[in-house]
Amino acid sequence: MRILICEDSALLREGLVRVLEDAGHAVVAALPDASDLDAAVARTAPELCILDVRLPPTFTDEGIRAALALRAADPALPVLVLSQYVEERYASELITGQSAAFGYLLKDRVADIRDFLASVERIAAGATVLDPEVVAQLLTRRSRDERMARLTERERSVLALIAEGKSNQAIAQTLFVSEASVEKHITSLFQKLDLEQDEHGNRRVLAALVHLDHGGSGTAPQNGALR
């Protein structure tokens, strides 16, 4: 896979290059800031872009604005955003977009190389992968949407795990229930949230998070992890 990296920390940038290349990927550009990002994307035609949220010169929102611009210019381009902390407003703005193939991970997640590489592969394949901590903060905001009040505690846990990108099998293993029970909970919670079920799993996750971002509450299992 052809990957472009935009990360100001030289140590992390070179570490990402090493990890990705050792896994057989081609890093076509490794940029310290977003000043040459558009030109680099046009020049190298990456299949995935990895960007830090905060980049020079102000280290505020350069990276997030660059990610939004990339997704607006090419909705089919997979984007993975890395952040030191949960930038809740920024996470919401990106997650609630209409494009698929997106990831938002905390930088600590990169330390688990196997999980990180698995997340990269899944995002490139069109999935939405969210850090459990990002999901937890979005789900624990004060509820202003009566639809969230319709969900049982178990359904909220299932929803949190869906948003993390877990499969039905992984959800069943995490919650110690059968896959049939998970499917039943998923059907129920989407009905309660007035979300139409279709074959596009990523769109269902994004739609659910749109509702949650408008004040939904819930509880993500503390032992949840990306798989």
Side-chain angles (χ1 to χ4, degrees):
M1 185 195 323
R2 297 168 59 80
I3 300 176
L4 179 148
I5 299 170
C6 189
E7 163 61 55
D8 67 287
S9 168
L11 184 61
L12 179 56
R13 187 171 65 249
E14 292 307 312
L16 288 170
V17 171
R18 176 71 177 274
V19 166
L20 292 167
E21 290 186 340
D22 284 352
H25 300 297
V27 177
V28 295
L31 311 175
D33 57 58
S35 60
D36 189 42
L37 180 60
D38 290 341
V41 169
R43 182 175 66 251
T44 62
E47 298 169 282
L48 172 74
C49 290
I50 301 177
L51 298 92
D52 186 10
V53 167
R54 298 184 175 186
L55 291 170
T58 68
F59 296 95
T60 55
D61 62 355
E62 283 86 356
I64 212 73
R65 286 191 284 107
L68 288 166
L70 285 177
R71 285 165 66 77
D74 184 0
L77 177 62
V79 173
L80 168 57
V81 171
L82 298 178
S83 180
Q84 189 68 40
Y85 309 101
V86 179
E87 307 279 0
E88 190 173 306
R89 177 172 62 86
Y90 295 142
S92 300
E93 191 170 356
L94 281 166
I95 292 167
T96 56
Q98 296 303 310
S99 306
F102 172 71
Y104 191 115
L105 299 178
L106 297 187
K107 289 184 177 180
D108 289 346
R109 196 68 54 185
V110 180
D112 190 327
I113 294 176
R114 184 176 63 179
D115 275 3
F116 173 70
L117 290 173
S119 296
V120 166
E121 295 281 359
R122 290 168 58 207
I123 294 164
T128 299
V129 179
L130 306 177
D131 194 284
E133 187 61 29
V134 174
V135 174
Q137 291 206 20
L138 290 177
L139 293 178
T140 53
R141 294 175 65 178
R142 188 183 181 110
S143 177
R144 295 190 184 93
D145 191 333
E146 65 177 13
R147 283 169 292 193
M148 281 302 298
R150 304 172 187 170
L151 301 186
T152 65
E153 205 57 40
R154 175 65 79 185
E155 288 166 349
R156 295 185 188 192
S157 295
V158 170
L159 180 58
L161 293 169
I162 290 173
E164 288 176 18
K166 285 185 178 292
S167 66
N168 286 8
Q169 181 182 17
I171 294 172
Q173 292 172 349
T174 300
L175 299 178
F176 302 102
V177 298
S178 68
E179 286 189 57
S181 294
V182 171
E183 292 173 2
K184 182 178 178 181
H185 288 311
I186 290 173
T187 298
S188 176
L189 71 88
F190 279 112
Q191 287 177 344
K192 291 178 180 179
L193 291 176
D194 301 325
L195 300 173
E196 293 185 7
Q197 294 203 54
D198 56 31
E199 72 276 15
H200 301 294
N202 294 331
R203 293 180 182 178
R204 294 205 305 272
V205 171
L206 293 174
L209 287 174
V210 169
H211 288 298
L212 294 170
D213 187 50
H214 283 79
S217 62
T219 303
Q222 294 303 307
N223 61 342
L226 291 170
R227 288 290 185 268

